[in-house]
Amino acid sequence: MDHFLYKNGVLHAEDVPVADIAAAVGTPFYVYSTATLLRHFRLFDEALDGMDHLVCYAMKAASNQAILKTLGDAGAGMDVVSGGEYRRARAAGIPGDRIVFSGVGKTADEIRTALEGGIRQFNVESEPEMEVLSAVATSMGKVAPITIRVNPDVDAKTHAKIATGKSENKFGIPIARARAVYAHAASLPGLDVIGIDVHIGSQLTDLAPFEAAYQKVADLTEQLRADGHNIRRLDLGGGLGIPYERTNAAPPLPTDYGAMVKRTLGHLDCEIEIEPGRLIAGNAGLMVSKVIYVKSGEGRDFLILDGAMNDLIRPAMYDAYHDIIPLNEPAPGTEQQPYDIVGPVCESGDTFAKQRMMPPLAADDLVAFRSAGAYGAVMSSEYNSRPLIPEVLVKGDQFAVIRRRPSFEEMINRDTIPEWV
Ligand code: LLP
């Protein structure tokens, strides 16, 4: 459920007509709903009720300071994957002991930054990383708390570009080698081995792959404890999918997920962490765009929008489906017609949807891409010299620009021309 609904035929973000925001900031832009963000965070938090747990929002999904502070104030921790994300989380007021550091390529500098600023744990992904982490921690007179990310070799049954839990993927250490790697970690002076980490992919629409992976983690926990490791924390990653197409069967809810976690891991008496990104931010955001032209082609009509693949890359990159709806609700019984919905970028890949059934639209009409809150703004670029589009946050009847649109000058003046050119 989200808070983007038609009221009297007009699309609202909570209590704000989306067209009012468009009039104030221009198009295209992203808009997020505070109530939806908080609702999704709380659903996860409550689903794990009864277990010692922390929901660490995977901030790669949407990392605006205002979003991080909204979730942080509600009690969320953060999953970060770079020094930049670590700094963003700290700047939004998230205490270090609520930040977990994931990622396959943490540099010594990033590690030092996190150790200096405070960190809940590092999710270590390789033996070379372990060595560097131990050396950096020791040089600072510190001991770094770690989990080790295991690759359970489970098929997440999701898009190949966002599956991470098969042995051919670059993530984690093979679970078959876990005991040897844990022994190695325990021998290093700068590390405190506290748990196990697993993340098998994103946009999973079935609980079975999660359950298969978590069962392997449960078995490994007992084995490692028998080996003498004090395993007391399990980080279960993120990945629960959202309904992008309202006509499809909805993915399992956080409550179903929580019940499965309790069933497979509850007996181990470990502290549980989860790292949801998409489920918290995805349906909490829209991208709003304007029709520039309606162009009649050979047997098809193109809706040419002012938003493009540089603003929302998911359709081009993952063939992702986003619901696209007009800001003015079509009258009941309005006949729909097929459009190819495209942006102005000079690539055929700049296509949001082909032969999508829509009510008739004309130049200057506004449309909203639903489910664009996660992996939308964060993956945007300035390709074709199109400045990054603004982000807006709504709460009740208020809205605020939380990242403004840069001017063309700002964009151009980041470049410098050497005097010898
Ligand atoms: N934890 C780790 C270690 C991850 O790598 C990810 C996502 C998450 C948590 C959060 O997963 P989520 O709950 O959001 O599914 N750009 C792609 C998605 C990439 C996901 C990368 N890792 C997309 O637009 O679909």
Side-chain angles (χ1 to χ4, degrees), residues 44 56-61 79-81 102-103 123 125 149 159 161-162 164 171 197-204 235-241 244 274-280 313-314 317-318 320 322 374-376 378-379:
F44 269 117
C56 295
Y57 168 60
M59 61 176 278
K60 62 168 77 69
D79 169 49
V80 309
V81 293
S102 302
N123 294 333
E125 298 226 15
R149 178 167 176 183
H159 192 285
K161 284 188 183 151
I162 52 175
T164 54
F171 300 98
D197 171 45
V198 69
H199 170 79
I200 58 172
S202 195
Q203 186 55 15
L204 274 68
D235 183 328
L236 305 179
L240 193 57
Y244 281 97
I274 53 169
E275 303 170 349
R278 189 190 311 268
L279 206 142
I280 290 182
I313 203 171
R314 302 194 67 260
M317 191 152 173
Y318 315 108
H322 285 267
Y375 307 111
V378 285
M379 292 181 79

Side-chain angles (χ1 to χ4, degrees), residues 6 8-10 326-336 358-361:
Y6 289 114
N8 298 323
V10 172
L327 259 51
N328 292 321
E329 188 175 23
T334 304
E335 194 139 337
Q336 305 223 326
M358 299 284 290
L361 288 162

